[in-house]
Amino acid sequence: RSSGNPLFLEEITLSVIASKSLVEREHTWELLQPLSTDLVPASMEAALMARLDRLGESKELLQLGATLGREFSFDLLQAIVSVETTELQSMLLQLVEEGLLHISGSTPVFYVFKHALVQDVAYNSLLRSTRQEHHSRIAQVMEEQFSEIPKRRPELLAHHLSGAGRYKEAAHHWQAAGQLAVERNAVNEAVEHLNRGLVDLGQLPQGEKSLHRELELHTALAPVQMAAYGWGSPLVQSTCKKAFDLARSLGGDEDRKSTR
């Protein structure tokens, strides 16, 4: 059933061992009762969900960590949760011992998900409303207590603002992330960030949309698309056309000049 997937094979093995159907002896394993087919998870996701459900209170912490990203710092997590330091360390240690997280670094301490799929399953197991609350809380803490993060990596704050439904603010930070990527000559990253900004603007009701922000994003996107895909790319033509149309609808020579 694992189809040779090492992570899935490991999860199947852990599920069988956790069932108490097998007991380890000195040189072998002894089968204490017949193995039920229900013990073997039907999919990788089902196997991971079963493990998450056995975590107890630590499950919520893992889900919050998954909302933070593939890796997260102890300091940021501690600022978000209302848990005593020793208790938080104990819960994180349990997740490390369970093989769901790894510790990276010492000062500051970072926790990294064992596999991207573990993070995905933990994140997707959240209710949509809870997920939005987590993103909102994370964005608030980043803005108020960890302001160096948005300055250094504005895409992180943009991601959480987007997840919190604060699309207008998210678009602003996606634009900033795109500009930083351009300064590093990371054109593919810049394209991704600027497109994310346009997607978030598209989530806003018609009356709340900022045409000026949309124009700025398109005029920033066109040159990096040229660098990434070439001048003759249909994507470049489409972006330039949208920029000219927006400038025309806004009126004023200044806006049209910015698209040249």
Side-chain angles (χ1 to χ4, degrees):
R1 186 174 290 184
S2 69
S3 299
N5 182 322
L7 181 62
F8 193 10
L9 185 57
E10 181 182 344
E11 292 301 324
I12 290 175
T13 305
L14 290 170
S15 296
V16 172
I17 292 173
S19 72
K20 307 299 183 184
S21 296
L22 290 171
V23 62
E24 187 176 12
R25 302 303 187 192
E26 186 176 359
H27 299 296
T28 187
W29 289 83
E30 182 182 345
L31 184 65
L32 300 181
Q33 60 189 37
L35 286 174
S36 166
T37 55
D38 295 337
L39 291 177
V40 182
S43 66
M44 182 71 237
E45 289 77 7
L48 289 172
M49 273 304 305
R51 287 190 66 194
L52 262 59
D53 290 339
R54 294 195 295 267
L55 289 175
E57 294 181 0
S58 297
K59 176 182 176 180
E60 294 183 10
L61 187 66
L62 189 71
Q63 290 171 320
L64 178 57
T67 311
L68 280 165
R70 180 71 190 276
E71 69 172 35
F72 54 89
S73 71
F74 178 84
D75 293 341
L76 179 57
L77 182 66
Q78 187 177 35
I80 294 167
V81 299
S82 53
V83 178
E84 292 292 333
T85 300
T86 53
E87 183 181 355
L88 180 59
Q89 290 172 333
S90 176
M91 293 170 75
L92 287 167
L93 180 60
Q94 178 192 355
L95 295 175
V96 171
E97 291 175 345
E98 287 283 342
L100 298 168
L101 297 176
H102 296 307
I103 297 176
S104 173
S106 55
T107 308
V109 175
F110 275 83
Y111 291 87
V112 184
F113 277 86
K114 170 186 177 180
H115 193 282
L117 190 55
V118 176
Q119 181 200 351
D120 290 343
V121 170
Y123 182 74
N124 291 330
S125 66
L126 287 165
L127 293 174
R128 183 177 179 180
S129 58
T130 305
R131 194 182 304 167
Q132 192 169 25
E133 288 172 4
H134 283 348
H135 280 299
S136 181
R137 174 61 179 156
I138 293 167
Q140 180 186 358
V141 169
M142 276 190 178
E143 290 175 310
E144 295 177 356
Q145 301 181 41
F146 294 82
S147 57
E148 76 281 358
I149 295 178
K151 290 177 183 177
R152 183 169 40 89
R153 297 190 61 189
E155 70 275 9
L156 293 181
L157 178 57
H159 168 73
H160 293 298
L161 289 170
S162 179
R166 294 163 59 181
Y167 300 116
K168 186 179 290 187
E169 297 166 79
H172 168 74
H173 289 282
W174 284 124
Q175 184 178 351
Q179 183 57 46
L180 280 180
V182 168
E183 292 172 4
R184 300 196 313 270
N185 292 318
V187 292
N188 289 323
E189 281 185 35
V191 169
E192 181 182 352
H193 296 330
L194 295 169
N195 275 323
R196 288 287 300 273
L198 289 168
V199 168
D200 278 351
L201 281 184
Q203 300 291 326
L204 293 169
Q206 194 63 37
E208 294 182 24
K209 288 186 178 179
S210 170
L211 295 183
H212 283 281
R213 176 73 64 195
E214 190 174 353
L215 176 58
E216 289 175 357
L217 284 165
H218 275 107
T219 53
L221 179 60
V224 291
Q225 283 181 328
M226 291 175 192
Y229 312 128
W231 287 76
S233 168
L235 289 173
V236 175
Q237 296 176 31
S238 175
T239 300
C240 289
K241 183 180 183 305
K242 288 176 182 176
F244 276 111
D245 290 344
L246 282 165
R248 194 174 295 113
S249 66
L250 285 166
D253 293 335
E254 201 61 38
D255 286 323
R256 282 194 288 273
K257 287 176 182 177
S258 69
T259 66
R260 291 176 185 171

